[in-house]
């Protein structure tokens, strides 16, 4: 592939462009799902192509093709330069890139069991076994289980001399039981909402999830929710379990720290941000002293937002975003970092060869504290413990939010009490994080993998991670909405 990328970069140079990079991407994916005792989906796909990004006359141009030949490489290179020069006619100012030393690198995410080498029949057996255990009675109207696997090999080369090869494999799975009776519908899922929990790992991650071992509990809780009391309205101490807290981090911290969104250069789909650069200079108090949030693309253990280099060739990094409550940093690119006097911290990624890279979350983590979940509950006199996201809404600046979870339990005098249905909570982002007075750690801290973070037009669903453990927030407004 070196010869191909070299030919493209030489063509761009002859056309007079000041900078260029080429990404060659090959990928394959598989989705398997079962529903109500039957096979619902078995789908596989492969993709292959390259994209050329150039800077000419101070503006960006991008073009791509699924045909990887020297002749097509030259044609696409010429097209990217023409697009850049056309864009330059309406530019407000020249694009300036933060400096980067050329990199020769190779990075591979380990996978013990290649998911594409495991027979589909074996995957169906795993899912059907879990799905069957959720059919515990007539109230279970829908029982489903699914898994996904994705594998990507990509080469990055730039006119500055970088040449990088990366390979990653991702897997994840989910089970869900939907109970219904007398016009009421409730659901429970495992291990996480919206497609499940994903890791940079092979089929061994699906086996570790033990979907069948959790199936009966999931179904019983879905049925029990039909008879549960409504979540009360008012202000309560709120304990969030890890996966719900991961989504809270994603929506109220991860998106508003994307510097392209802050600067208004990428406002499609996900909007803008209340975390403006003046708040960075003034050391804005984002949360309590218990709240330290990092962006860490170097995290091991299969964290879904990890990689070796971003799609500009910048090495993966760990950046402190919130330090003991104080706002300290953004996710940046080579173009946006100079706007705040910094260099890129390596967060540019593209969904595929035919999409431009954007600033994307890596692993955005609430750093662990020194509590345990049991200690949090024993230390709470009047509260609610909420588990697994069911719905959410947040404004375009990521300031005012509302979340709903699948289930909750009341906490009275330091002990879990009755189950509650339709739990919700709402708040303003800084007030909410300032109310955090305790964060769990140890074995209860883990990274949750979200495979479908949306951004951009055309939309790019990228894979990100969030490290989190249960945490407590004081006097949060709960039980909003009408039922």
């Amino acid at each position: 592939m070196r010869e191909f990328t070299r030919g493209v970069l030489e063509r761009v140079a002859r056309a007079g462009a000041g900078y260029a990079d080429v990404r060659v991407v090959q990928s394959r994916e598989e989705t398997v799902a079962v529903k109500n005792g039957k096979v619902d989906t078995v789908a596989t796909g492969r993709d292959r192509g390259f994209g050329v990004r150039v800077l000419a006359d101070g503006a960006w141009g991008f073009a791509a093709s699924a045909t990887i030949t020297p002749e097509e490489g030259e044609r696409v290179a010429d097209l990217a330069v023409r697009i850049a020069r056309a864009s330059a006619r309406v530019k407000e100012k020249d694009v300036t890139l933060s400096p980067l030393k050329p990199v020769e690198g190779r990075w591979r995410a380990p996978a013990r069991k290649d998911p594409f080498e495991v027979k589909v029949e074996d995957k169906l057996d795993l899912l059907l076994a879990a799905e069957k255990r959720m059919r515990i009675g007539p109230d279970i109207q829908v029982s489903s289980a699914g898994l996904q696997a994705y594998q990507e090999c990509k080469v990055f080369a730039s006119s500055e001399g970088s040449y990088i090869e990366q390979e990653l494999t991702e897997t994840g799975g989910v089970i869900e039981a939907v109970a219904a009776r007398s016009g009421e519908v409730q659901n429970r899922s495992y291990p996480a909402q919206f497609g499940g929990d994903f890791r940079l790992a092979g089929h061994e991650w699906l086996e570790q999830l033990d979907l069948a071992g959790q199936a009966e509990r999931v179904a019983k809780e879905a049925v029990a929710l039909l008879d549960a009391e409504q979540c009360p309205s008012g202000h309560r101490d709120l304990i969030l379990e890890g996966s719900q807290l991961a989504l809270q981090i994603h929506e109220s911290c991860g998106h508003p720290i994307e510097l392209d969104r802050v600067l208004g250069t990428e406002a499609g789909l996900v909007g803008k941000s209340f975390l403006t650069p003046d708040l960075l200079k003034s050391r804005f108090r984002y949360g309590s002293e218990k709240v330290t949030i990092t962006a860490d693309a170097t995290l091991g253990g299969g964290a879904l937002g990890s990689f070796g280099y971003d799609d500009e060739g910048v090495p993966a990094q760990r950046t402190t975003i919130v330090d003991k409550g104080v706002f300290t940093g953004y996710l940046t690119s080579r173009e946006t970092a100079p706007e705040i006097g910094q260099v890129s911290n390596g967060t540019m990624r593209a969904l595929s060869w035919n999409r431009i890279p954007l600033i994307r979350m890596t692993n955005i983590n609430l750093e662990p504290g020194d509590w345990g979940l049991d200690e949090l509950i024993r230390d709470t006199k009047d509260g609610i413990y909420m588990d697994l996201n069911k719905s959410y809404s947040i404004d375009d600046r990521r300031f005012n939010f509302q979340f709903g979870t699948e289930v909750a339990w009341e906490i009275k005098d330091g002990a879990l009490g009755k189950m509650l249905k339709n739990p919700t909570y709402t708040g303003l982002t800084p007030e909410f994080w300032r109310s955090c007075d305790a964060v769990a750690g140890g074995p209860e801290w883990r990274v949750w993998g979200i495979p479908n973070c949306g951004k951009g037009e055309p939309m790019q669903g990228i894979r990100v991670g969030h490290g989190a453990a249960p945490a407590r927030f004081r006097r949060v407004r709960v039980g909003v909405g009408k039922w």
Side-chain angles (χ1 to χ4, degrees):
M1 203 52 71
R2 277 185 184 271
E3 186 174 350
F4 173 77
T5 58
R6 184 185 301 117
V8 172
L9 294 172
E10 289 175 352
R11 182 74 172 203
V12 172
R14 287 197 297 273
Y19 169 85
D21 58 43
V22 189
R23 285 181 297 109
V24 185
V25 181
Q26 300 181 68
S27 64
R28 57 177 173 169
E29 58 187 318
E30 181 179 65
T31 301
V32 181
V34 302
K35 184 177 180 181
N36 291 350
K38 298 179 180 178
V39 176
D40 184 67
T41 304
V42 176
T44 61
R46 288 178 178 268
D47 198 16
R48 184 172 183 262
F50 70 100
V52 180
R53 194 178 67 145
V54 308
L55 265 180
D57 297 341
W60 287 114
F62 177 78
S65 173
T67 303
I68 305 176
T69 64
E71 296 78 15
E72 184 70 353
E74 292 187 352
R75 185 192 72 79
V76 171
D78 291 343
L79 178 59
V81 173
R82 289 203 303 274
I83 291 172
R85 291 194 165 129
S87 299
R89 299 174 65 182
V90 293
K91 67 182 178 184
E92 295 183 358
K93 60 180 181 180
D94 285 356
V95 172
T96 301
L97 301 181
S98 62
L100 178 66
K101 292 181 179 179
V103 175
E104 285 267 352
R106 180 175 292 178
W107 186 86
R108 182 175 182 269
R112 291 200 303 273
K113 286 188 178 180
D114 185 342
F116 296 94
E117 296 298 321
V118 177
K119 293 179 181 178
V120 171
E121 292 84 348
D122 293 342
K123 295 170 182 171
L124 286 170
D125 286 346
L126 183 151
L127 297 177
L128 286 167
E131 184 277 332
K132 184 178 180 180
R133 292 192 184 187
M134 288 188 287
R135 284 183 271 141
I136 60 172
D139 287 336
I140 297 296
Q141 298 291 304
V142 179
S143 52
S144 60
L147 62 84
Q148 287 182 291
Y150 179 79
Q151 198 167 65
E152 181 181 81
C153 299
K154 60 183 175 183
V155 170
F156 172 90
S158 78
S159 59
E160 296 174 330
S162 289
Y163 188 87
I164 299 165
E165 297 176 344
Q166 297 190 86
E167 178 183 337
L168 55 85
T169 302
E170 303 164 352
T171 61
V174 67
I175 58 174
E176 181 181 21
V178 180
R181 187 197 316 137
S182 304
E184 173 147 9
V185 179
Q186 297 289 341
N187 75 295
R188 285 291 280 145
S189 309
Y190 169 82
Q193 60 282 326
F194 308 142
D197 187 20
F198 284 69
R199 281 196 179 181
L200 283 176
H203 190 73
E204 69 275 8
W205 172 237
L206 288 166
E207 296 171 342
Q208 188 177 333
L209 285 175
D210 188 20
L211 299 177
Q214 297 291 329
E216 187 172 346
R217 173 189 64 81
V218 166
K220 286 181 175 178
E221 289 183 357
V223 173
L225 278 168
L226 296 173
D227 299 314
E229 290 187 17
Q230 176 69 31
C231 176
S233 298
H235 288 79
R236 300 283 194 285
D237 292 343
L238 174 65
I239 298 176
L240 296 179
E241 62 82 33
S243 72
Q244 171 59 32
L245 190 54
L247 190 62
Q248 179 78 49
I249 296 167
H250 181 97
E251 299 294 347
S252 65
C253 182
H255 277 306
I257 59 172
E258 296 164 343
L259 190 54
D260 53 354
R261 160 202 287 268
V262 175
L263 299 176
T265 58
E266 178 50 58
L269 184 62
V270 287
K272 301 179 181 177
S273 173
F274 76 96
L275 287 173
T276 50
D278 59 306
L279 298 183
L280 184 65
K281 293 178 181 176
S282 66
R283 296 181 59 79
F284 175 68
R285 178 152 290 282
Y286 176 90
S288 72
E289 291 189 351
K290 302 294 184 183
V291 176
T292 291
I293 297 175
T294 58
D296 191 354
T298 70
L299 204 58
L304 197 62
S306 294
F307 46 80
Y309 305 87
D310 78 350
D311 285 340
E312 291 190 313
V314 179
Q317 298 172 35
R318 173 185 167 96
T319 303
T320 300
I321 301 300
V322 176
D323 185 13
K324 296 181 179 178
V326 177
F327 174 47
T328 58
Y330 288 111
L331 304 175
T332 65
S333 65
R334 293 189 67 189
E335 179 182 357
T336 58
E339 298 286 339
I340 56 172
Q342 298 182 6
V343 298
S344 172
N345 55 21
T347 66
M348 288 284 274
R349 287 190 291 160
L351 174 65
S352 184
W353 52 269
N354 57 3
R355 296 288 184 269
I356 60 171
L358 302 170
I359 292 177
R360 306 309 301 262
M361 293 178 230
T362 56
N363 300 298
I364 311 299
N365 313 311
L366 175 63
E367 293 297 305
D370 53 7
W371 290 68
L373 175 58
D374 289 344
E375 290 177 299
L376 283 175
I377 292 170
R378 285 199 301 271
D379 190 61
T380 302
K381 184 174 179 58
D382 179 20
I384 293 180
Y385 173 58
M386 295 191 186
D387 182 30
L388 271 185
N389 185 263
K390 189 175 184 178
S391 64
Y392 63 93
S393 174
I394 190 164
D395 70 60
D396 62 347
R397 296 192 310 133
R398 306 282 152 167
F399 191 72
N400 189 336
F401 63 80
Q402 176 177 316
F403 287 90
T405 65
E406 290 184 355
V407 66
W409 287 267
E410 71 170 2
I411 303 172
K412 288 293 184 185
D413 299 323
L416 283 182
K418 56 194 174 188
M419 176 183 281
L420 303 169
K421 65 183 177 182
N422 305 323
T424 58
Y425 66 97
T426 187
L428 302 177
T429 296
E431 290 182 4
F432 179 78
W433 285 106
R434 290 171 191 167
S435 74
C436 180
D437 77 332
V439 181
E444 291 171 6
W445 192 93
R446 53 164 293 190
V447 180
W448 299 85
I450 296 177
N452 46 15
C453 170
K455 184 177 179 180
E457 292 179 359
M459 202 273 279
Q460 300 189 45
I462 211 81
R463 300 156 183 87
V464 304
H466 297 294
R472 182 173 62 192
F473 302 83
R474 293 292 195 183
R475 310 312 293 169
V476 177
R477 187 182 176 197
V478 302
V480 293
K482 295 181 179 178
W483 308 93

